[in-house]
Amino acid sequence: MTSPASLKIALAQLDPVVGDLQGNAERAARAHARAKELGADVVVFSELFLNGYPPEDLVLKPAFQEATKAKLEWLAATCTDGPAILIGTIWAEGRKVHNAVALLDGGRIQATTLKVDLPNYGVFDEKRVFAPGPQPGPLNVRGVRIGVPICEDIWSTEVVETLTETGAEILVSPNGSPFDWPKPDARMNVAVARVTESNLPLVYLNQVGGQDELVFDGASFVLNADRSLAVQLPAWREDVSVTEWTRTPSGWVCRKDKVAKLTEGKAAAYHACVLGLKDYVEKNGFPSVVLGLSGGIDSALVAAIAVDALGPERVHAVMLPSKYTSDESLEDAAACANALGIRYDKVSIEPTVAGLTWSLKDLFTGTNADITEENLQSRVRGTILMAVSNKFGGMVVTTGNKSEMSVGYATLYGDMNGGFNPIKDLYKTEVYELAHWRNAHVPEEAKGPAGIVIPERILTKAPTAELRANQTDQDSLPPYAELDDILNCLVEKEMPLADVVARGHSVETVKKIERLLYLAEYKRRQAAPGVKISSRNFGRDRRYPITNKFREDVMQADQKASPVPKPPIVAKGA
């Protein structure tokens, strides 16, 4: 085939559903039809789009492999006219299964290329289910030699170097790259490095949407060979756009087109929480959500996130007061519900707590009231919320933050009850930051109202669980600014304790937090899934044993701490 002078590549930044082979194939067919209308020569989909990403151990199921092949053939036969298709799919060869991209054109599967570098760190376990492919050559797509490094393949040099040496003219990289705070800059830096080394333009196509704990931000882009940004698709929403290319004496050049402004920092984290909750609810078929609205900052932020994700008509807040609940909390919860426009009910837990206390009085004779009685209140609240969920079908959204989950400041079968937690990976100080941000901004495509949705008093009063008289969180924990700094050092950075102490924290406090962090592992194993925001979340990223006797010794004060703490290996790629 004669090499053309121009080319139109459509970027299909879409939200697949894991396991929904028919639905994903139909999404691809609709995007193909749209790309045809726009005059595209080829339409590109994200990594494992046909299967949904990440499919985890579904990959190992023979029936899933067979159904994937059949659906890929159906898609090829359905999309006979219009652009060629590059689509991510699993690909079985004998007893091996590969992470692949298939080229569909002319009603057939014309070729496949296989992923070489399989990530096996952080949230990724691809070596568990996939076999690596050989070093690839480019695919001939309508007369243009297109190199297709798949996701992790661009995070090292070898695959792109091989594609360059074997004649690739354009690099097209399908990705399933989950969001975390450092990730957008890291992606761009890697892409620029590969363009610089190869002197080839690069299309970076990422999926968008939530899958369990992971959220994919999209934000696909095109870099020309001179490293200039030609196209930037928006983050957090689906988009099908056509990029226009021209062959020049020095190679292919993408015409500069729309460059969307990307959200950063607090705005990006808030969008991730909203999209993660929205897709978890929608993809799992829940009609609505219910949460306990306490008058505190965590539940207020979760309520705002839920309304922005689903709309006020699908969010049900329940205030569950006890004799320790202050008038301020009652007023603040009602004000928050009113500002968000959601259904708000009040159910006292006092009769139930009194009944349980009476039932246990003989057994507890001779003992003093302690955390047992506090946890009873939390478990009554959890039971009531689950009853509301069972009766009306809404999913319970739990509201614990990362600071609390780190140190076990949560009650199993109580306030930890729920199906999903959108703020699970946000430290308490970050919860406050996002609450302030939401009061000043309305996210794009949010279904919630503008203006102050979290009352000012919630932002300024001392946080408290209100499980006993005059209780505050700081009765048993250091101030959250101090706690969160210590936790960030221990969780995200795995710093030696001596280095944490060197930041100005007392030895006693650091050792106490380390101890609580280890002891709470059994609670975290039983916690609801929640949106990954940081470079190292609990669960997929940080996998510690529950039974664990290791405790680190702290250097004496006159000994020198390590000058450069070594961080853990975190999800650098994909």
Side-chain angles (χ1 to χ4, degrees):
M1 181 180 291
T2 304
S3 184
S6 63
L7 186 71
K8 289 186 177 181
I9 302 176
L11 310 184
Q13 177 179 288
L14 300 177
D15 185 357
V17 179
V18 168
D20 186 12
L21 297 174
Q22 181 63 34
N24 293 337
E26 290 173 355
R27 290 178 186 92
R30 289 193 296 270
H32 177 268
R34 176 59 180 156
K36 179 181 176 182
E37 292 173 0
L38 297 172
D41 298 295
V42 58
V43 55
V44 183
F45 296 89
S46 54
E47 181 179 16
L48 294 179
F49 180 86
L50 185 58
N51 308 96
Y53 186 83
E56 302 188 69
D57 282 9
L58 271 177
V59 169
L60 303 176
K61 194 173 184 64
F64 188 64
Q65 299 167 17
E66 295 164 7
T68 297
K69 181 70 178 297
K71 202 55 62 181
L72 190 65
E73 292 171 344
W74 175 89
L75 182 63
T78 300
C79 301
T80 54
D81 297 327
I85 293 173
L86 287 171
I87 188 165
T89 180
I90 66 170
W91 187 258
E93 292 183 340
R95 300 184 66 178
K96 293 181 178 180
V97 183
H98 298 279
N99 183 333
V101 167
L103 170 62
L104 313 182
D105 201 4
R108 298 175 55 245
I109 303 171
Q110 297 289 351
T112 59
T113 187
L114 310 179
K115 189 174 184 178
V116 178
D117 290 333
L118 302 176
N120 208 58
Y121 53 80
V123 302
F124 305 105
D125 283 315
E126 291 198 19
K127 288 183 180 179
R128 172 186 171 87
V129 295
F130 289 120
Q135 288 295 325
L139 300 176
N140 189 323
V141 182
R142 303 283 172 95
V144 181
R145 295 188 302 277
I146 294 182
V148 186
I150 303 171
C151 202
E152 189 76 11
D153 286 343
I154 70 168
W155 287 79
S156 57
T157 61
E158 189 174 3
V159 173
V160 170
E161 182 179 343
T162 301
L163 289 167
T164 304
E165 291 173 350
T166 51
E169 300 173 78
I170 299 171
L171 299 173
V172 173
S173 180
N175 282 261
S177 179
F179 171 81
D180 60 50
W181 256 323
K183 186 66 69 63
D185 287 342
R187 287 186 199 131
M188 185 59 72
N189 291 338
V190 166
V192 167
R194 298 295 86 79
V195 169
T196 301
E197 294 157 4
S198 65
N199 199 34
L200 293 176
L202 182 144
V203 175
Y204 184 100
L205 191 281
N206 193 24
Q207 80 175 50
V208 67
Q211 170 57 30
D212 297 344
E213 300 101 320
L214 303 181
V215 179
F216 301 85
D217 52 325
S220 306
F221 59 87
V222 177
L223 293 177
N224 273 317
D226 63 1
R227 302 183 298 281
S228 63
L229 182 64
V231 174
Q232 174 67 70
L233 297 194
W236 313 116
R237 62 181 176 86
E238 294 185 310
D239 191 285
V240 177
S241 294
V242 167
T243 62
E244 298 183 8
W245 298 71
T246 303
R247 182 188 292 278
T248 72
S250 59
W252 286 94
V253 175
C254 180
R255 182 175 70 84
K256 189 172 178 62
D257 201 345
K258 62 180 180 182
V259 176
K261 181 175 175 57
L262 300 182
T263 55
E264 298 177 334
K266 293 185 286 290
Y270 190 88
H271 279 78
C273 292
V274 169
L275 183 55
L277 177 61
K278 174 181 177 292
D279 268 10
Y280 192 86
V281 171
E282 300 288 7
K283 291 179 179 180
N284 287 290
F286 291 103
S288 60
V289 297
V290 59
L291 74 155
L293 193 62
S294 68
I297 185 65
D298 297 319
S299 61
L301 179 62
V302 170
I305 289 169
V307 170
D308 284 338
L310 306 170
E313 70 282 356
R314 298 176 68 188
V315 180
H316 181 189
V318 184
M319 172 38 125
L320 299 156
S322 74
K323 63 184 179 182
Y324 300 116
T325 302
S326 67
D327 290 340
E328 280 189 357
S329 293
L330 291 166
E331 294 165 2
D332 292 342
C336 182
N338 183 64
L340 290 166
I342 58 179
R343 177 179 173 181
Y344 175 74
D345 290 303
K346 186 165 63 174
V347 179
S348 174
I349 68 169
E350 271 306 298
T352 311
V353 172
L356 287 170
T357 303
W358 184 87
S359 296
L360 292 165
K361 64 180 174 59
D362 293 338
L363 188 60
F364 287 1
T365 296
T367 66
N368 297 319
D370 56 17
I371 196 171
T372 305
E373 285 73 16
E374 295 180 21
N375 286 344
L376 272 181
Q377 298 169 61
S378 181
R379 291 186 172 118
V380 167
R381 291 186 170 112
T383 299
I384 291 172
L385 289 174
M386 290 306 300
V388 174
S389 172
N390 290 161
K391 182 63 69 175
F392 301 110
M395 181 190 74
V396 176
V397 181
T398 187
T399 61
N401 60 69
K402 191 173 187 177
S403 305
E404 295 171 350
M405 294 308 301
S406 295
V407 297
Y409 199 69
T411 305
L412 277 174
Y413 327 119
D415 57 328
M416 288 177 64
N417 278 5
F420 196 76
N421 182 354
I423 65 168
K424 181 180 180 178
D425 202 26
L426 291 173
Y427 288 117
K428 188 78 166 190
T429 50
E430 294 167 345
V431 168
Y432 279 102
E433 290 172 359
L434 264 63
H436 281 288
W437 182 88
R438 178 57 181 89
N439 273 351
H441 302 84
V442 182
E444 186 179 355
E445 300 185 6
K447 297 180 179 180
I452 304 296
V453 294
I454 299 174
E456 182 65 24
R457 190 164 63 185
I458 291 179
L459 296 167
T460 57
K461 66 184 180 182
T464 172
E466 293 191 321
L467 297 174
R468 62 176 183 269
N470 303 313
Q471 182 184 27
T472 69
D473 291 2
Q474 267 58 70
D475 294 343
S476 53
L477 297 173
Y480 278 114
E482 180 181 5
L483 175 63
D484 290 354
D485 184 68
I486 294 171
L487 290 172
N488 181 265
C489 293
L490 297 179
V491 176
E492 274 79 2
K493 299 176 181 177
E494 288 284 7
M495 288 171 60
L497 295 192
D499 293 331
V500 184
V501 171
R503 293 170 65 86
H505 304 295
S506 73
V507 171
E508 294 76 15
T509 300
V510 172
K511 286 294 292 181
K512 174 185 176 180
I513 300 310
E514 180 209 33
R515 176 178 175 274
L516 293 174
L517 180 64
Y518 283 143
L519 291 178
E521 186 63 38
Y522 80 99
K523 289 187 178 182
R524 291 191 291 270
R525 291 284 187 95
Q526 300 180 64
V531 176
K532 172 181 162 63
I533 296 293
S534 70
S535 60
R536 201 165 191 232
N537 74 335
F538 289 123
R540 284 180 175 268
D541 283 322
R542 186 182 186 275
R543 307 178 192 183
Y544 269 64
I546 296 173
T547 305
N548 170 23
K549 292 295 185 181
F550 177 77
R551 299 294 184 270
E552 186 178 344
D553 291 330
V554 183
M555 291 181 176
Q556 297 299 316
D558 59 349
Q559 289 183 289
K560 187 176 181 181
S562 304
V564 181
K566 294 182 179 180
I569 296 174
V570 295
K572 63 178 181 179

